[in-house]
Amino acid sequence: MSESKELTTEISKDLLAEAAGNMPTDSSYQRIILPRIGMFTQDQEEGKGKSKVVTAEAGTYYIDQESDELNDEGKKVWTKTELGPEIEATVIYHRKKLSYWDSAAQEFTSSPIYDEDTDVIPLFKARKEIARGTPKELKKDYMYVDPRDGKNKSKLQDMTVLYILYQGNIYQCEIKGTSMWAFKSYSRTCVPPVVMTRFTSEYKENGSINWNQMKFTTLRKLTEEELVEVVNLQKMIKSSIKAEKDYFASLNTDVPMDDVQTEEDWSPDLPKVKVEVLSDGQEM
């Protein structure tokens, strides 16, 4: 190649770089809304007395996702599709969250989803910030003595937010209480992102209270092709989390709280509450 052609090529690269650098960038950010997979910890019932019927049995898994239907406020309605008593999926990522349901006030108190125990995060109630601190600091304000065992506990509970690959799609699954500890125990027996997991449940009781707890069992190791897909999805999730944090940091504000509060997976420490959709979106 002649010297003149080489110079022209170099100049063209510089011009391309300058032109690209002068182009205004779009600072907006589109939050990813994931459908959810959950499990009914107790029988779902309708009616009273003799007319009471069980509409879904404890231990039934379901998908909860936006539909095209709009409610009276013009917001999309979330609908459930039952999957049955077990599913096979891969847990590819997990994050954290704090949540408390005040049954007397009929209000949720919760944090946005976060990653590290050293993160300084806001706490919201009725969609207004009421406190800010590390998870440990926030939980201190909700400490109480459990009369059953005399132990100090916090009503503001830890939750694990799982990202699971089920039949080619990513879902978010929020677990707490005994199901969360069951997953932590399971994670010590395998590396969840490299195996196919069977999600089932097992019956539990504590005095007069009974419920179904999630159960996790390894089915098999993933194939190389499946692992490539998992790694690519993990990179996508991490990139999306970073983009979300960077965007809201640029606005000098926090990542917003969850708009959909899910409290299906409960433990005997707190009362059972049902899924309540507070608005039309949900965060990753």
Side-chain angles (χ1 to χ4, degrees):
M1 180 180 291
S2 67
E3 184 177 347
S4 61
K5 287 185 177 180
E6 289 179 355
L7 181 60
T8 302
T9 301
E10 291 302 318
I11 292 176
S12 297
K13 288 181 179 179
D14 290 341
L15 286 173
L16 286 170
E18 184 176 359
N22 289 332
M23 184 68 177
T25 57
D26 185 1
S27 61
S28 63
Y29 173 74
Q30 180 65 47
R31 304 193 77 196
I32 295 178
I33 298 176
L34 290 178
R36 298 195 176 189
I37 282 184
M39 186 198 77
F40 295 120
T41 56
Q42 291 189 318
D43 288 344
Q44 303 298 292
E45 301 174 336
E46 289 184 356
K48 296 181 179 180
K50 294 182 179 180
S51 62
K52 182 187 298 183
V53 294
V54 175
T55 58
E57 295 183 352
T60 300
Y61 284 86
Y62 61 85
I63 290 175
D64 196 14
Q65 60 189 346
E66 281 186 338
S67 68
D68 294 330
E69 181 184 353
L70 301 179
N71 61 19
D72 295 337
E73 298 178 352
K75 298 176 180 179
K76 288 187 176 181
V77 175
W78 284 71
T79 58
K80 288 185 176 62
T81 303
E82 293 183 18
L83 301 174
E86 68 175 69
I87 62 172
E88 296 178 7
T90 298
V91 179
I92 63 176
Y93 204 78
H94 67 84
R95 302 179 73 192
K96 304 175 182 180
K97 181 180 175 182
L98 298 176
S99 181
Y100 164 55
W101 169 251
D102 185 339
S103 58
Q106 293 289 295
E107 289 182 321
F108 280 102
T109 299
S110 63
S111 75
I113 298 175
Y114 63 96
D115 297 286
E116 303 295 337
D117 292 334
T118 54
D119 288 350
V120 176
I121 55 176
L123 196 64
F124 295 96
K125 182 177 181 180
R127 303 194 61 76
K128 294 182 180 179
E129 182 177 332
I130 59 172
R132 179 178 292 266
T134 64
K136 184 177 181 180
E137 292 169 342
L138 294 174
K139 290 169 70 174
K140 282 183 179 180
D141 292 335
Y142 292 85
M143 298 300 293
Y144 72 102
V145 177
D146 190 333
R148 294 171 296 182
D149 54 22
K151 294 182 179 180
N152 291 321
K153 299 180 181 179
S154 178
K155 294 179 180 179
L156 193 61
Q157 289 191 307
D158 292 308
M159 298 185 74
T160 295
V161 182
L162 304 179
Y163 294 86
I164 63 179
L165 179 60
Y166 173 69
Q167 295 186 351
N169 296 309
I170 303 178
Y171 295 86
Q172 185 175 309
C173 178
E174 297 184 357
I175 56 176
K176 67 175 185 177
T178 56
S179 290
M180 182 183 71
W181 292 111
F183 177 75
K184 289 181 181 293
S185 296
Y186 173 65
S187 298
R188 290 193 287 269
T189 68
C190 68
V191 181
V194 305
V195 299
M196 183 67 70
T197 299
R198 174 181 284 136
F199 291 63
T200 56
S201 69
E202 57 183 330
Y203 178 82
K204 295 287 184 177
E205 61 180 27
N206 186 337
S208 61
I209 303 174
N210 59 76
W211 72 100
N212 276 47
Q213 168 193 299
M214 285 187 180
K215 183 178 180 181
F216 309 91
T217 308
T218 299
L219 283 176
R220 60 173 176 83
K221 293 182 179 179
L222 297 185
T223 65
E224 184 174 351
E225 182 179 353
E226 290 172 329
L227 279 174
V228 169
E229 181 182 16
V230 166
V231 170
N232 288 335
L233 290 173
Q234 288 174 323
K235 290 178 180 178
M236 183 194 73
I237 291 172
K238 293 174 73 174
S239 176
S240 177
I241 292 171
K242 183 180 184 304
E244 181 181 66
K245 289 182 176 180
D246 288 348
Y247 172 70
F248 287 105
S250 72
L251 301 179
N252 196 29
T253 187
D254 301 292
V255 175
M257 63 173 286
D258 278 0
D259 286 326
V260 178
Q261 302 286 348
T262 306
E263 295 286 330
E264 287 290 352
D265 184 33
W266 65 290
S267 74
D269 295 328
L270 290 174
K272 170 193 174 187
V273 293
K274 298 181 180 179
V275 168
E276 294 204 0
V277 178
L278 301 185
S279 70
D280 61 335
Q282 91 181 178
E283 74 175 21
M284 183 175 179

